[in-house]
Amino acid sequence: MNKAIMLASENIYTLHKWIQQVFTDKNGKGLEVMEELISSFDPEFTMITQQGKVIGVPEVKQLFTSSLGKRPKLEIIIEDIVPIFDDKGIVTIRYCEIHHECHQYKKRISTAIIDTSSEKLRWLYLHETPISE
């Protein structure tokens, strides 16, 4: 595994740890990580939601701000990280994201493009697809 793919893989875990902290706000840590979380997205970041809507950083920021502490029992599990492509530190990577909450599991397959070419990693693109069970 090359360095860019390793950095992108590690960043997937880090970013989702922050997302879980925002949603749960356990020990008041949600607001603490909010700025770092939002700054992980490139200003031109776009995301395809599970509902097929295209959103950018303003909508993502609004989602996290309005969700602070609203899901105190949420656990986010990341599995099956698969690198797809690396072009000079711009890494395309796929992973399975599981939301475990109140004895329910909701899974999605996500494909992300993460820029690892500078010290501050930036998410450029994310596409989430729900998995029905």
Side-chain angles (χ1 to χ4, degrees):
M1 181 180 306
N2 73 29
K3 184 178 178 181
I5 290 171
M6 187 176 68
L7 288 169
S9 297
E10 290 171 359
N11 190 252
I12 289 169
Y13 287 106
T14 300
L15 190 89
H16 287 85
K17 179 182 80 173
W18 293 337
I19 292 170
Q20 181 175 312
Q21 287 175 315
V22 167
F23 282 143
T24 64
D25 199 27
K26 192 172 193 174
N27 301 320
K29 298 282 186 191
L31 198 53
E32 221 174 88
V33 299
M34 184 81 74
E35 185 176 327
E36 188 72 25
L37 173 60
I38 299 302
S39 72
S40 296
F41 299 102
D42 185 84
E44 301 300 316
F45 171 82
T46 57
M47 174 181 173
I48 311 296
T49 69
Q50 293 182 75
Q51 295 76 31
K53 186 176 179 186
V54 180
I55 64 174
V57 174
E59 294 88 356
V60 170
K61 184 176 182 177
Q62 175 60 37
L63 167 71
F64 291 135
T65 302
S66 66
S67 299
L68 181 65
K70 300 278 184 180
R71 298 175 69 185
K73 302 215 183 277
L74 176 66
E75 177 188 10
I76 298 176
I77 303 159
I78 301 298
E79 295 181 340
D80 302 326
I81 294 178
V82 178
I84 298 171
F85 188 73
D86 173 19
D87 182 22
K88 299 176 188 153
I90 308 295
V91 175
T92 303
I93 198 160
R94 185 180 69 229
Y95 59 95
C96 179
E97 180 180 341
I98 303 164
H99 287 208
H100 175 221
E101 190 172 21
C102 301
H103 306 290
Q104 291 187 12
Y105 290 86
K106 293 184 180 176
K107 290 185 176 184
R108 65 190 77 168
I109 294 290
S110 297
T111 302
I113 301 175
I114 303 170
D115 183 353
T116 69
S117 65
S118 63
E119 191 172 317
K120 173 72 175 165
L121 276 61
R122 299 264 184 206
W123 285 56
L124 306 175
Y125 177 81
L126 177 63
H127 187 145
E128 296 185 332
T129 304
I131 300 173
S132 60
E133 299 212 28

